[in-house]
Structures are given as C-alpha cells and as structure tokens.
Amino acid sequence: MPAKKEESSEEKKEITVDEVAKHNQESDCWIIIGNPKTGGPKVYDVTKYLDEHPGGAEVMMEFAGGDADGMFEDIGHSKDARKTMTEYFVGTLKDDGSRKAAAPSSSDGKKELESKGGLSPVAIIVFIIAILLGVYFSQQK
C-alpha cells in the first residue's frame, strides 16, 4: 500500500492580515494575491524575487505587506508567472474580515501613483489626441 502524501505545514499555515503587514520592507516583503475566483487569498514571501520581477522591485514594493491581488489581476500575468509564484508561497490568508479594510485595492494604488505626479491614462489619451489634431490642422493650410 503506497504511503499517503501528507500536506506540508506551509499548505496548512494560515496567516493574518496583521502578520502580513509586518513584512513591508525590501529585506522582508510579503504580499497577498488571490481571490475567491483564483482559489482564495494566499500569502507570498517575494523578498528574493524583487530583483527578478520584470516590472521592477518598485512595483511590488507598493504593495509590500498588503494586498496586491487587484494589481496582479489587472496586469494579466501569464501562466508562467502564476507558476513561479508557487515557489514563494507562505500560506493562506486567514479570513478575519479585515482584509478589505487593511489592504489597498488596485484603484487605491492607482490614485496614490497619480497623486505622486504620475499621469493618468485619460490625461495621456487627451494629450495624444491634442497632438494629432494639431498636426492634422497644420497640414490643412
């Protein structure tokens, strides 16, 4: 009779939002990714992955110690990216009802970027249209 495969302690470990929030430095960076559609929120220690992330460490550090699911899903990461994540899995997020209150959503992150001087996509589109109209009307004479 084959031996029954036991779950590792990592697979069973439940981590609170408060515990994740303590890991918010480049030297110790945890993030939450996942939702009910993707199997539930999971916690990842991405400290060693920060320098390897194609989008740069800064992108991940925006969500250090918090919820990165909205941004992760908005970007549309590949199957390879999702597979890579499994290497950094720490445990599942304990559902204590504080996730939404304590963790920033992707729209909060976008608002924060815009308030730091970043251009919103709408502003960029308006700017491009203005340039195109200027070129068009200058060619009419």
Side-chain angles (χ1 to χ4, degrees), residues 48-122:
K48 294 179 181 175
Y49 185 68
L50 290 174
D51 292 331
E52 297 174 31
H53 185 256
E58 298 81 21
V59 173
M60 295 182 79
M61 286 306 300
E62 276 185 57
F63 299 96
D67 190 343
D69 185 65
M71 184 62 76
F72 183 85
E73 294 300 335
D74 287 349
I75 298 297
H77 284 82
S78 68
K79 289 180 183 178
D80 287 338
R82 292 175 190 276
K83 185 177 178 182
T84 299
M85 287 173 40
T86 62
E87 298 172 36
Y88 303 98
F89 177 75
V90 177
T92 58
L93 187 70
K94 184 175 183 180
D95 186 13
D96 60 3
S98 64
R99 182 179 185 200
K100 291 185 190 251
S105 70
S106 65
S107 62
D108 290 341
K110 289 177 187 175
K111 287 178 187 173
E112 184 178 323
L113 280 177
E114 290 171 13
S115 70
K116 290 183 179 178
L119 290 175
S120 73
V122 174

